[in-house]
Amino acid sequence: MLNFCGFGRVDKNVPVARIRDCPFTINFMSAETIQPVVLQTDFPDLEVWASGKVRDIYRVDNERLLFVATDRISAFDYVLATGIPEKGKVLTQLSIFWFDFLKNVVENHMITAEVKQYPPALQHYSAELRGRSMLVTRAEMVPIECVVRGYISGSAWKEYQQSGSVCGIKLPSGLRESDKLPEPIFTPATKAASGHDENISFADMIKRAGREESERLRDLSIRIYTQAANYAAERGIIIADTKFEFGHTAKGLVLADEVLTPDSSRFWPADRYTPGKAQESFDKQYVRDYLEKVRWNKQPPAPALPEEIARKTSEKYVEAYRRLTGAELKP
Ligand code: Q0N
């Protein structure tokens, strides 16, 4: 298998994604904008702080980190071989939109997303960073994923079918898959050693994070979800559930990581909402349909996507951004 290994340069200022061990330089360009699809970042003079399926985080100094959202996409738990044009920009710019929308409710870890305001050491990478990165304050992270659900889906639906409860919260009987819950519920999770999230009860959360902090995070998470989900509903997007991460900085408790993006949430198109079954995903439906069609066994390596699937998926991400923000994605 060839490995994607980030940015090289052909002409000055024309960044390209390059495949390691491949003698050719390959341009992955999204036709309309002539912007490269970023599959991996590579900033040799920066220390990688953490790397997820989609985001690469670099250490800038003791106080600051650089978040970079690539165009990678995961489906059925694996990162696919094909990137989605504009996806990293959508994730970053949507998070920025929500941080601003929520600033009256909660502080956040963002310092700036204006590359010109980044430290001098990062200016060299301005072309790669523009529109898809964020300079953030390093935080003491709370080791709990703060999940809020307004609808019953995914692992919560599985748990409910087995026990009638989710994370120790008793739910009314007779709920169908994807039904709206009587009110949003807080269902915390931890990163298990396997890398998978493991739902825990609120009592377990208290054991790990303390009562006062846990209650604060729960109440804050529900408030944030409610404000965002009500807003999104007016714009035709159901935010079925979402995951928040919090940290402590000099500002106190702050909302960190990415927020209310299609990668950290389930977005459903409201006009197609039909409870009683799993819902179509706003963003990944073409990808999932394609992977089912080619009957991928869901073992690595994950397949590449046809150009048309990648393009239509890109349009869905950009549409989500447009619908939620009422603005165009910045280049
Ligand atoms: C941090 N994560 C988990 C990559 C991101 N402000 C911060 N300060 C210190 N550490 C972190 C943050 C933030 N946000 C958070 N890793 C480091 C989020 N991962 C998930 C997978 O993708």
Side-chain angles (χ1 to χ4, degrees):
M1 248 305 269
L2 293 168
N3 253 325
F4 293 105
C5 88
F7 271 90
R9 282 177 179 281
V10 270
D11 275 318
K12 61 172 178 158
N13 296 330
V14 183
V16 296
R18 186 178 291 156
I19 295 177
R20 180 178 291 152
D21 302 326
C22 171
F24 309 107
T25 298
I26 298 176
N27 278 301
F28 298 92
M29 294 291 184
S30 56
E32 263 136 64
T33 55
I34 320 292
Q35 299 249 5
V37 170
V38 175
L39 279 171
Q40 196 176 322
T41 61
D42 182 21
F43 306 129
D45 44 337
L46 294 179
E47 177 192 324
V48 174
W49 177 259
S51 193
K53 288 194 186 113
V54 173
R55 274 132 353 107
D56 297 332
I57 307 178
Y58 293 87
R59 177 186 170 278
V60 175
D61 53 34
N62 284 337
E63 284 79 43
R64 297 173 299 178
L65 301 174
L66 177 70
F67 265 57
V68 189
T70 69
D71 297 319
R72 298 193 292 263
I73 185 168
S74 70
F76 303 115
D77 249 10
Y78 290 97
V79 174
L80 305 184
T82 311
I84 303 299
E86 323 279 18
K87 177 169 180 277
K89 294 191 175 187
V90 168
L91 297 189
T92 299
Q93 294 179 36
L94 200 49
S95 287
I96 294 169
F97 168 79
W98 289 120
F99 281 143
D100 183 60
F101 176 87
L102 294 163
K103 65 176 186 262
N104 299 318
V105 184
V106 65
E107 295 272 8
N108 64 70
H109 70 158
M110 185 169 101
I111 299 168
T112 182
E114 282 294 334
V115 178
K116 287 204 177 84
Q117 294 172 24
Y118 290 3
L122 302 180
Q123 296 304 322
H124 181 56
Y125 306 119
S126 62
E128 292 94 320
L129 295 174
R130 187 162 69 125
R132 66 170 68 249
S133 68
M134 203 185 281
L135 189 67
V136 309
T137 304
R138 213 162 118 176
E140 201 58 58
M141 296 301 289
V142 176
I144 306 277
E145 321 245 298
C146 293
V147 178
V148 182
R149 300 168 189 273
Y151 293 74
I152 188 154
S153 173
S155 67
W157 170 242
K158 281 203 191 105
E159 239 185 280
Y160 171 75
Q161 283 175 290
Q162 281 162 14
S163 67
S165 341
V166 179
C167 293
I169 302 166
K170 186 92 194 122
L171 294 177
S173 61
L175 290 176
R176 298 162 298 172
E177 184 173 13
S178 310
D179 260 337
K180 186 170 189 179
L181 296 168
E183 58 191 353
I185 57 171
F186 180 67
T187 60
T190 55
K191 276 254 177 290
S194 67
H196 273 269
D197 293 352
E198 195 174 286
N199 288 349
I200 59 172
S201 67
F202 190 64
D204 277 335
M205 177 167 169
I206 289 173
K207 283 182 204 151
R208 293 160 190 264
R211 175 173 298 276
E212 206 181 351
E213 170 117 315
S214 298
E215 288 176 348
R216 194 167 165 215
L217 290 168
R218 177 192 60 194
D219 297 350
L220 196 49
S221 297
I222 299 257
R223 271 208 290 158
I224 295 168
Y225 170 81
T226 302
Q227 183 165 323
N230 288 343
Y231 171 89
E234 290 168 18
R235 284 150 185 84
I237 293 176
I238 293 173
I239 303 178
D241 52 42
T242 194
K243 180 204 80 176
F244 302 117
E245 292 199 30
F246 294 91
H248 293 273
T249 70
K251 283 199 222 167
L253 189 62
V254 300
L255 185 55
D257 206 44
E258 63 173 342
V259 283
L260 294 153
T261 69
D263 277 14
S264 69
S265 323
R266 281 191 180 85
F267 283 11
W268 296 338
D271 58 356
R272 309 199 56 157
Y273 174 60
T274 340
K277 56 179 184 169
Q279 301 302 291
E280 268 181 24
S281 151
F282 193 97
D283 44 300
K284 285 186 181 167
Q285 200 56 45
Y286 294 121
V287 173
R288 294 199 181 129
D289 291 349
Y290 173 77
L291 294 174
E292 299 288 4
K293 192 189 91 179
V294 300
R295 307 185 67 187
W296 173 42
N297 62 3
K298 291 163 195 168
Q299 299 301 312
L305 300 172
E307 207 273 334
E308 193 203 8
I309 303 287
R311 184 179 48 75
K312 281 160 78 176
T313 300
S314 170
E315 281 166 11
K316 296 302 285 184
Y317 277 92
V318 173
E319 185 191 341
Y321 179 83
R322 234 189 250 124
R323 276 217 219 173
L324 288 170
T325 67
E328 292 299 317
L329 198 65
K330 290 171 230 14

